PDB file of all heavy atoms in Angstrom:
ATOM      1  N   PRO Y  83     151.486 -68.257 162.284  1.00  0.00           N
ATOM      2  CA  PRO Y  83     150.831 -67.977 160.991  1.00  0.00           C
ATOM      3  C   PRO Y  83     151.748 -67.313 159.970  1.00  0.00           C
ATOM      4  O   PRO Y  83     151.646 -67.590 158.766  1.00  0.00           O
ATOM      5  CB  PRO Y  83     149.661 -67.055 161.379  1.00  0.00           C
ATOM      6  CG  PRO Y  83     150.015 -66.492 162.695  1.00  0.00           C
ATOM      7  CD  PRO Y  83     150.832 -67.526 163.383  1.00  0.00           C
ATOM      8  N   VAL Y  84     152.636 -66.437 160.428  1.00  0.00           N
ATOM      9  CA  VAL Y  84     153.549 -65.777 159.489  1.00  0.00           C
ATOM     10  C   VAL Y  84     154.493 -66.785 158.850  1.00  0.00           C
ATOM     11  O   VAL Y  84     154.729 -66.770 157.639  1.00  0.00           O
ATOM     12  CB  VAL Y  84     154.329 -64.659 160.211  1.00  0.00           C
ATOM     13  CG1 VAL Y  84     155.451 -64.122 159.333  1.00  0.00           C
ATOM     14  CG2 VAL Y  84     153.393 -63.523 160.596  1.00  0.00           C
ATOM     15  N   TRP Y  85     155.030 -67.687 159.643  1.00  0.00           N
ATOM     16  CA  TRP Y  85     155.966 -68.687 159.129  1.00  0.00           C
ATOM     17  C   TRP Y  85     155.283 -69.647 158.153  1.00  0.00           C
ATOM     18  O   TRP Y  85     155.845 -70.006 157.122  1.00  0.00           O
ATOM     19  CB  TRP Y  85     156.576 -69.472 160.282  1.00  0.00           C
ATOM     20  CG  TRP Y  85     157.471 -70.591 159.847  1.00  0.00           C
ATOM     21  CD1 TRP Y  85     157.195 -71.927 159.864  1.00  0.00           C
ATOM     22  CD2 TRP Y  85     158.790 -70.473 159.315  1.00  0.00           C
ATOM     23  NE1 TRP Y  85     158.252 -72.645 159.381  1.00  0.00           N
ATOM     24  CE2 TRP Y  85     159.249 -71.773 159.043  1.00  0.00           C
ATOM     25  CE3 TRP Y  85     159.616 -69.387 159.049  1.00  0.00           C
ATOM     26  CZ2 TRP Y  85     160.501 -72.016 158.507  1.00  0.00           C
ATOM     27  CZ3 TRP Y  85     160.877 -69.629 158.521  1.00  0.00           C
ATOM     28  CH2 TRP Y  85     161.320 -70.927 158.259  1.00  0.00           C
ATOM     29  N   LEU Y  86     154.046 -70.023 158.456  1.00  0.00           N
ATOM     30  CA  LEU Y  86     153.372 -71.031 157.638  1.00  0.00           C
ATOM     31  C   LEU Y  86     152.737 -70.466 156.377  1.00  0.00           C
ATOM     32  O   LEU Y  86     152.705 -71.139 155.342  1.00  0.00           O
ATOM     33  CB  LEU Y  86     152.293 -71.742 158.471  1.00  0.00           C
ATOM     34  CG  LEU Y  86     152.778 -72.643 159.599  1.00  0.00           C
ATOM     35  CD1 LEU Y  86     151.579 -73.198 160.358  1.00  0.00           C
ATOM     36  CD2 LEU Y  86     153.646 -73.790 159.067  1.00  0.00           C
ATOM     37  N   LEU Y  87     152.200 -69.231 156.436  1.00  0.00           N
ATOM     38  CA  LEU Y  87     151.271 -68.791 155.402  1.00  0.00           C
ATOM     39  C   LEU Y  87     151.669 -67.520 154.649  1.00  0.00           C
ATOM     40  O   LEU Y  87     151.099 -67.238 153.592  1.00  0.00           O
ATOM     41  CB  LEU Y  87     149.877 -68.581 156.016  1.00  0.00           C
ATOM     42  CG  LEU Y  87     149.231 -69.822 156.625  1.00  0.00           C
ATOM     43  CD1 LEU Y  87     147.966 -69.438 157.374  1.00  0.00           C
ATOM     44  CD2 LEU Y  87     148.922 -70.851 155.550  1.00  0.00           C
ATOM     45  N   LEU Y  88     152.581 -66.723 155.188  1.00  0.00           N
ATOM     46  CA  LEU Y  88     152.893 -65.453 154.535  1.00  0.00           C
ATOM     47  C   LEU Y  88     153.739 -65.686 153.284  1.00  0.00           C
ATOM     48  O   LEU Y  88     154.674 -66.489 153.288  1.00  0.00           O
ATOM     49  CB  LEU Y  88     153.634 -64.522 155.503  1.00  0.00           C
ATOM     50  CG  LEU Y  88     153.821 -63.083 155.025  1.00  0.00           C
ATOM     51  CD1 LEU Y  88     152.483 -62.395 154.803  1.00  0.00           C
ATOM     52  CD2 LEU Y  88     154.654 -62.292 156.041  1.00  0.00           C
ATOM     53  N   VAL Y  89     153.395 -64.964 152.221  1.00  0.00           N
ATOM     54  CA  VAL Y  89     154.117 -65.033 150.952  1.00  0.00           C
ATOM     55  C   VAL Y  89     154.526 -63.616 150.567  1.00  0.00           C
ATOM     56  O   VAL Y  89     153.763 -62.668 150.762  1.00  0.00           O
ATOM     57  CB  VAL Y  89     153.242 -65.657 149.845  1.00  0.00           C
ATOM     58  CG1 VAL Y  89     153.978 -65.688 148.510  1.00  0.00           C
ATOM     59  CG2 VAL Y  89     152.817 -67.060 150.246  1.00  0.00           C
ATOM     60  N   ARG Y  90     155.706 -63.475 149.999  1.00  0.00           N
ATOM     61  CA  ARG Y  90     156.278 -62.165 149.717  1.00  0.00           C
ATOM     62  C   ARG Y  90     155.408 -61.333 148.785  1.00  0.00           C
ATOM     63  O   ARG Y  90     155.015 -60.220 149.100  1.00  0.00           O
ATOM     64  CB  ARG Y  90     157.680 -62.323 149.112  1.00  0.00           C
ATOM     65  CG  ARG Y  90     158.389 -61.010 148.846  1.00  0.00           C
ATOM     66  CD  ARG Y  90     159.698 -61.208 148.122  1.00  0.00           C
ATOM     67  NE  ARG Y  90     159.494 -61.604 146.732  1.00  0.00           N
ATOM     68  CZ  ARG Y  90     160.341 -61.317 145.745  1.00  0.00           C
ATOM     69  NH1 ARG Y  90     161.444 -60.643 145.997  1.00  0.00           N
ATOM     70  NH2 ARG Y  90     160.089 -61.709 144.511  1.00  0.00           N
ATOM     71  N   ARG Y  91     155.094 -61.867 147.606  1.00  0.00           N
ATOM     72  CA  ARG Y  91     154.350 -61.147 146.578  1.00  0.00           C
ATOM     73  C   ARG Y  91     153.345 -62.097 145.930  1.00  0.00           C
ATOM     74  O   ARG Y  91     153.565 -63.319 145.882  1.00  0.00           O
ATOM     75  CB  ARG Y  91     155.294 -60.612 145.472  1.00  0.00           C
ATOM     76  CG  ARG Y  91     156.269 -59.545 145.930  1.00  0.00           C
ATOM     77  CD  ARG Y  91     157.232 -59.199 144.792  1.00  0.00           C
ATOM     78  NE  ARG Y  91     158.190 -58.179 145.191  1.00  0.00           N
ATOM     79  CZ  ARG Y  91     158.004 -56.878 145.018  1.00  0.00           C
ATOM     80  NH1 ARG Y  91     156.874 -56.455 144.451  1.00  0.00           N
ATOM     81  NH2 ARG Y  91     158.901 -56.003 145.395  1.00  0.00           N
ATOM     82  N   PRO Y  92     152.251 -61.567 145.375  1.00  0.00           N
ATOM     83  CA  PRO Y  92     151.313 -62.449 144.676  1.00  0.00           C
ATOM     84  C   PRO Y  92     151.954 -63.153 143.484  1.00  0.00           C
ATOM     85  O   PRO Y  92     151.576 -64.285 143.149  1.00  0.00           O
ATOM     86  CB  PRO Y  92     150.197 -61.490 144.236  1.00  0.00           C
ATOM     87  CG  PRO Y  92     150.765 -60.114 144.347  1.00  0.00           C
ATOM     88  CD  PRO Y  92     151.788 -60.170 145.419  1.00  0.00           C
ATOM     89  N   GLU Y  93     152.941 -62.521 142.838  1.00  0.00           N
ATOM     90  CA  GLU Y  93     153.602 -63.153 141.693  1.00  0.00           C
ATOM     91  C   GLU Y  93     154.291 -64.455 142.089  1.00  0.00           C
ATOM     92  O   GLU Y  93     154.474 -65.350 141.244  1.00  0.00           O
ATOM     93  CB  GLU Y  93     154.624 -62.196 141.072  1.00  0.00           C
ATOM     94  CG  GLU Y  93     154.005 -60.965 140.415  1.00  0.00           C
ATOM     95  CD  GLU Y  93     153.755 -59.820 141.385  1.00  0.00           C
ATOM     96  OE1 GLU Y  93     153.950 -60.016 142.612  1.00  0.00           O
ATOM     97  OE2 GLU Y  93     153.356 -58.736 140.912  1.00  0.00           O
ATOM     98  N   ASP Y  94     154.693 -64.596 143.348  1.00  0.00           N
ATOM     99  CA  ASP Y  94     155.338 -65.826 143.796  1.00  0.00           C
ATOM    100  C   ASP Y  94     154.389 -67.013 143.771  1.00  0.00           C
ATOM    101  O   ASP Y  94     154.829 -68.173 143.786  1.00  0.00           O
ATOM    102  CB  ASP Y  94     155.896 -65.650 145.211  1.00  0.00           C
ATOM    103  CG  ASP Y  94     156.976 -64.580 145.272  1.00  0.00           C
ATOM    104  OD1 ASP Y  94     157.509 -64.220 144.205  1.00  0.00           O
ATOM    105  OD2 ASP Y  94     157.269 -64.093 146.380  1.00  0.00           O
ATOM    106  N   LEU Y  95     153.076 -66.738 143.742  1.00  0.00           N
ATOM    107  CA  LEU Y  95     152.067 -67.792 143.649  1.00  0.00           C
ATOM    108  C   LEU Y  95     151.396 -67.806 142.280  1.00  0.00           C
ATOM    109  O   LEU Y  95     150.379 -68.482 142.092  1.00  0.00           O
ATOM    110  CB  LEU Y  95     150.995 -67.598 144.731  1.00  0.00           C
ATOM    111  CG  LEU Y  95     151.436 -67.787 146.183  1.00  0.00           C
ATOM    112  CD1 LEU Y  95     150.291 -67.464 147.131  1.00  0.00           C
ATOM    113  CD2 LEU Y  95     151.929 -69.209 146.412  1.00  0.00           C
ATOM    114  N   GLY Y  96     151.942 -67.043 141.354  1.00  0.00           N
ATOM    115  CA  GLY Y  96     151.328 -66.958 140.039  1.00  0.00           C
ATOM    116  C   GLY Y  96     150.063 -66.128 140.018  1.00  0.00           C
ATOM    117  O   GLY Y  96     149.225 -66.286 139.123  1.00  0.00           O
ATOM    118  N   LEU Y  97     149.912 -65.231 140.977  1.00  0.00           N
ATOM    119  CA  LEU Y  97     148.734 -64.375 141.072  1.00  0.00           C
ATOM    120  C   LEU Y  97     149.105 -62.941 140.714  1.00  0.00           C
ATOM    121  O   LEU Y  97     150.282 -62.581 140.679  1.00  0.00           O
ATOM    122  CB  LEU Y  97     148.148 -64.411 142.494  1.00  0.00           C
ATOM    123  CG  LEU Y  97     147.726 -65.785 143.020  1.00  0.00           C
ATOM    124  CD1 LEU Y  97     147.315 -65.676 144.482  1.00  0.00           C
ATOM    125  CD2 LEU Y  97     146.595 -66.363 142.183  1.00  0.00           C
ATOM    126  N   ALA Y  98     148.096 -62.135 140.476  1.00  0.00           N
ATOM    127  CA  ALA Y  98     148.290 -60.705 140.229  1.00  0.00           C
ATOM    128  C   ALA Y  98     147.886 -59.932 141.477  1.00  0.00           C
ATOM    129  O   ALA Y  98     147.014 -60.372 142.233  1.00  0.00           O
ATOM    130  CB  ALA Y  98     147.448 -60.250 139.039  1.00  0.00           C
ATOM    131  N   PRO Y  99     148.494 -58.770 141.715  1.00  0.00           N
ATOM    132  CA  PRO Y  99     148.062 -57.949 142.854  1.00  0.00           C
ATOM    133  C   PRO Y  99     146.616 -57.499 142.696  1.00  0.00           C
ATOM    134  O   PRO Y  99     146.075 -57.460 141.582  1.00  0.00           O
ATOM    135  CB  PRO Y  99     149.019 -56.747 142.814  1.00  0.00           C
ATOM    136  CG  PRO Y  99     150.173 -57.194 141.984  1.00  0.00           C
ATOM    137  CD  PRO Y  99     149.627 -58.184 140.997  1.00  0.00           C
ATOM    138  N   ASP Y 100     145.996 -57.202 143.820  1.00  0.00           N
ATOM    139  CA  ASP Y 100     144.665 -56.605 143.818  1.00  0.00           C
ATOM    140  C   ASP Y 100     144.704 -55.394 142.890  1.00  0.00           C
ATOM    141  O   ASP Y 100     145.449 -54.441 143.139  1.00  0.00           O
ATOM    142  CB  ASP Y 100     144.333 -56.181 145.249  1.00  0.00           C
ATOM    143  CG  ASP Y 100     143.005 -55.484 145.360  1.00  0.00           C
ATOM    144  OD1 ASP Y 100     142.031 -55.985 144.793  1.00  0.00           O
ATOM    145  OD2 ASP Y 100     142.947 -54.438 146.024  1.00  0.00           O
ATOM    146  N   PRO Y 101     143.937 -55.377 141.776  1.00  0.00           N
ATOM    147  CA  PRO Y 101     144.167 -54.365 140.728  1.00  0.00           C
ATOM    148  C   PRO Y 101     143.784 -52.965 141.159  1.00  0.00           C
ATOM    149  O   PRO Y 101     142.854 -52.757 141.944  1.00  0.00           O
ATOM    150  CB  PRO Y 101     143.279 -54.849 139.582  1.00  0.00           C
ATOM    151  CG  PRO Y 101     142.202 -55.633 140.250  1.00  0.00           C
ATOM    152  CD  PRO Y 101     142.859 -56.301 141.436  1.00  0.00           C
ATOM    153  N   ALA Y 102     144.521 -51.989 140.623  1.00  0.00           N
ATOM    154  CA  ALA Y 102     144.200 -50.586 140.869  1.00  0.00           C
ATOM    155  C   ALA Y 102     142.907 -50.235 140.136  1.00  0.00           C
ATOM    156  O   ALA Y 102     142.573 -50.831 139.114  1.00  0.00           O
ATOM    157  CB  ALA Y 102     145.329 -49.692 140.368  1.00  0.00           C
ATOM    158  N   PRO Y 103     142.125 -49.270 140.627  1.00  0.00           N
ATOM    159  CA  PRO Y 103     140.905 -48.866 139.932  1.00  0.00           C
ATOM    160  C   PRO Y 103     141.232 -48.252 138.580  1.00  0.00           C
ATOM    161  O   PRO Y 103     142.289 -47.655 138.399  1.00  0.00           O
ATOM    162  CB  PRO Y 103     140.290 -47.837 140.881  1.00  0.00           C
ATOM    163  CG  PRO Y 103     141.427 -47.346 141.713  1.00  0.00           C
ATOM    164  CD  PRO Y 103     142.360 -48.511 141.848  1.00  0.00           C
ATOM    165  N   PRO Y 104     140.347 -48.395 137.599  1.00  0.00           N
ATOM    166  CA  PRO Y 104     140.630 -47.854 136.266  1.00  0.00           C
ATOM    167  C   PRO Y 104     140.790 -46.338 136.294  1.00  0.00           C
ATOM    168  O   PRO Y 104     140.144 -45.638 137.072  1.00  0.00           O
ATOM    169  CB  PRO Y 104     139.400 -48.263 135.443  1.00  0.00           C
ATOM    170  CG  PRO Y 104     138.754 -49.361 136.219  1.00  0.00           C
ATOM    171  CD  PRO Y 104     139.080 -49.095 137.665  1.00  0.00           C
ATOM    172  N   ALA Y 105     141.671 -45.839 135.451  1.00  0.00           N
ATOM    173  CA  ALA Y 105     141.818 -44.390 135.307  1.00  0.00           C
ATOM    174  C   ALA Y 105     140.601 -43.837 134.569  1.00  0.00           C
ATOM    175  O   ALA Y 105     140.041 -44.499 133.691  1.00  0.00           O
ATOM    176  CB  ALA Y 105     143.096 -44.075 134.533  1.00  0.00           C
ATOM    177  N   PRO Y 106     140.127 -42.631 134.890  1.00  0.00           N
ATOM    178  CA  PRO Y 106     138.954 -42.081 134.210  1.00  0.00           C
ATOM    179  C   PRO Y 106     139.223 -41.885 132.726  1.00  0.00           C
ATOM    180  O   PRO Y 106     140.306 -41.488 132.308  1.00  0.00           O
ATOM    181  CB  PRO Y 106     138.740 -40.742 134.924  1.00  0.00           C
ATOM    182  CG  PRO Y 106     140.024 -40.429 135.603  1.00  0.00           C
ATOM    183  CD  PRO Y 106     140.659 -41.733 135.913  1.00  0.00           C
ATOM    184  N   SER Y 107     138.194 -42.182 131.922  1.00  0.00           N
ATOM    185  CA  SER Y 107     138.312 -42.062 130.459  1.00  0.00           C
ATOM    186  C   SER Y 107     137.355 -40.992 129.968  1.00  0.00           C
ATOM    187  O   SER Y 107     136.160 -41.042 130.257  1.00  0.00           O
ATOM    188  CB  SER Y 107     138.003 -43.405 129.800  1.00  0.00           C
ATOM    189  OG  SER Y 107     137.996 -43.280 128.401  1.00  0.00           O
ATOM    190  N   LEU Y 108     137.854 -39.992 129.225  1.00  0.00           N
ATOM    191  CA  LEU Y 108     137.023 -38.909 128.713  1.00  0.00           C
ATOM    192  C   LEU Y 108     136.412 -39.248 127.359  1.00  0.00           C
ATOM    193  O   LEU Y 108     135.450 -38.616 126.911  1.00  0.00           O
ATOM    194  CB  LEU Y 108     137.862 -37.625 128.595  1.00  0.00           C
ATOM    195  CG  LEU Y 108     138.482 -37.115 129.892  1.00  0.00           C
ATOM    196  CD1 LEU Y 108     139.317 -35.871 129.622  1.00  0.00           C
ATOM    197  CD2 LEU Y 108     137.401 -36.818 130.923  1.00  0.00           C
TER     198      LEU Y 108
END
């Protein structure tokens, strides 16, 4: 599975990383 399916970073597939939660806004 690692050889067939693992990808280094989401950017290599044109994707964005799982986004961080928003910072609190006052």
